[in-house]
Amino acid sequence: MTASSEFDLECEAVSKSFGPVRAVDEVSVKIPSGSFFSILGPSGCGKTTLMRMIAGFEDPSSGDIRIKGRSVVDVPPNKRNVKMVFQHLALFPMMNVYENIAYGLRCNGVGKAEIGRRVTDVLERIALPDVGERQIHQLSGGQKQRIAIARCMVLDPDVLLLDEPLGALDLKLREAMKIELKLLQHQFNTTFVYITHDQSEALVMSDRVAVMNNGRFEQIGTPQELYHRPASAFVAGFVGDANRWSGRVVEVSNPHARIETSAGLSALCALGNGQKLRPGDRVEVFVRPEFIRAERLNGAPTPDGNGLTGTVDSLLFNGANSRVLVRSKNAELIEADVTLTGGADDLKPGEAVRLSWSPEQAKCFAAEAATA
Amino acid sequence: MRQSDFRRLSLILLFAPFALWILLLIVLPHIGMGVLALREKVAPRVYEFGFGNFLEFMHEPIYWNTLIRTGSMSLLVTALALLIGFPIAYYIAKIAGPRSRGALFLVCLIPLWVSDLIRAFGWILLLRETGVISSALQAAGLIDAPVELLYNDATVVIGLVYTVILFMIVPLVSTLDGMDNAMIEAGYNLGGNGFTVLRRIIIPYAMPGIVAGCIIVFMLTAGSYLTPILLGGKYSSWFTETIYQQFITRYNWEGGAAFGFLLLAFTSAVVWIGLKLSRQTLAGTVAKS
């Protein structure tokens, strides 16, 4: 194996402009073989355009796309070994399941007996062995999903692109399909590139995630890196939930900085990755709810670190992910994770509480000119 | 008045004009025609019940030759209208931008604002011996003597295609419009070339629209009178002309009525065969578009 074909898909400074609008701006990424890679970003960030360029439906304005080390910029879409699962799946309603899967094989001139064998094989692998004769409208949402993936996987692609395929499913099925997709990816051992605006889909399934905003990749990393060590204010705000305060740097003492928020709270924060701040800079501070401890005020000595007191405004009960909404003295609302057991010990609205968090868990970033 | 009575009354009021139309203009004339067609003239003002009028059609080759000729030329017109109409419909539904789509559709509709008669005269002005095309060719020195471009089969076919093509385009645009572009892209993505995508995906998807357009166009063409007569002259041998002659020239209403039923039976049979061959149903095609 040559050095370059360790990567199934490489993008090098790929850009795409529509008139004056730069939809994709100098995106470079190398996706290792056999990994589950997600591109996460808000709608309109250019992720679909990027995917359509990889599939060949759009030509990049500049840059190079390589599949298995070979440039495909001049290869038409039907000659690229990159298959795509469309947002609304685009199964062919006038064909039955068998014909849908056989379509690609027929296009490649595979023999009839071989087609039958491979279709049966792929239907078994997606655990739907008996649906070959069914019409598309007779399938459930989850089955359609799997057929759409099987239709691509039967062609043994180098890369499988998935364009928000779970968007149309209801919540319960979406949760189940997340796990199923991950298992299918392991089973086929093919590189999956998954596009989504749903951060939980990206975090749960992916080996690596690229966060995209305004046509650029803000950060590429494992889900844990993105969550715990975001590289920019956008990533910190977009991936996972966070309390977000804007404020000003009072003093810097690496690796911490003392911040005074616009609401008057003074807190010690960790500098975000690669941030160089000077006193007086405008910053944004992010603290995730699960790192904030909420305790009833009981006169015990105040622990070290950051903290403030307030009253419980309301409880947001959601099973294991329950939260408490605390109104601080300067009328700010802060979310903190709590365990609500249903016992008498639970926090109740109106109670005075103390919130505290360690400086390591408060990340500050230089404020962006235009906050997303 | 109770709600259910009110709803029943409004339904009756809305339905009445339609029922009257069907009854007075479709059902009643056909019963009358049926009675006429089954009356055999045995002597002046003496009639008997019998199938003589239909047997006359069988015995006279010129009648069924005319019917076969009308049928085959109508099929040719239908095929040409499909061949020309499909790319136009595809362009309007899939390639044109959302703004130009409406304009293009309107352009297609404009000829409908002018009556068939005027449009046929338009063709006559262009194609007659002293017409625009003949004069232009003479002026350009391409021909020496004036040419008569009217009164031949090609002219009749062209004129008919022009008259009916709109009825092919409208159902095609509406079916193609409902097709997700991703389906075409998926066709390419899975390895199909342009021809495969057209043959295996676009045409099967548009089949209900194609069949609906073909049925409408075929029925309109086979039943048309004005265009074949004006552009084909006395050699057009269109079956509607034969029916007209029976009624008006020969004052043989019995024969005309029988021929009318024969034309209806013939076109219905062709449509039925077409539906069977394309594995479509009337409900899934014409009723939908």
Side-chain angles (χ1 to χ4, degrees), chain B residues 220-239:
Chain B
L220 281 177
T221 313
S224 70
Y225 178 74
L226 214 53
T227 314
I229 300 303
L230 288 176
L231 298 185
K234 58 184 168 182
Y235 305 113
S236 65
S237 309
W238 212 252
F239 198 68

Side-chain angles (χ1 to χ4, degrees), chain A residues 52 55 57 77-78 80 82-84 86 88 90-95 99 103-104 106-108 151-152 155, chain B residues 179-194 196-198 200-206:
Chain A
R52 291 174 60 81
F57 297 127
N78 56 343
R80 296 188 188 190
V82 173
K83 302 302 161 205
M84 181 157 173
F86 288 81
H88 302 292
L91 292 169
F92 307 133
M94 55 281 176
M95 304 182 194
E99 287 168 335
Y103 170 84
R106 284 199 188 130
C107 289
N108 292 354
R151 186 173 75 169
C152 297
L155 299 170
Chain B
M179 182 178 192
D180 188 358
N181 284 339
M183 223 177 278
I184 300 168
E185 286 181 349
Y188 284 110
N189 182 256
L190 293 166
N193 55 28
T196 328
V197 171
L198 180 71
R200 303 272 326 268
I201 294 164
I202 299 173
I203 290 181
Y205 188 91

Side-chain angles (χ1 to χ4, degrees), chain A residues 10 12 49 192 233 256 285 303 328 331 352:
Chain A
E10 294 164 84
E12 203 177 288
T49 309
F192 277 33
H256 291 124
V285 181
S328 71

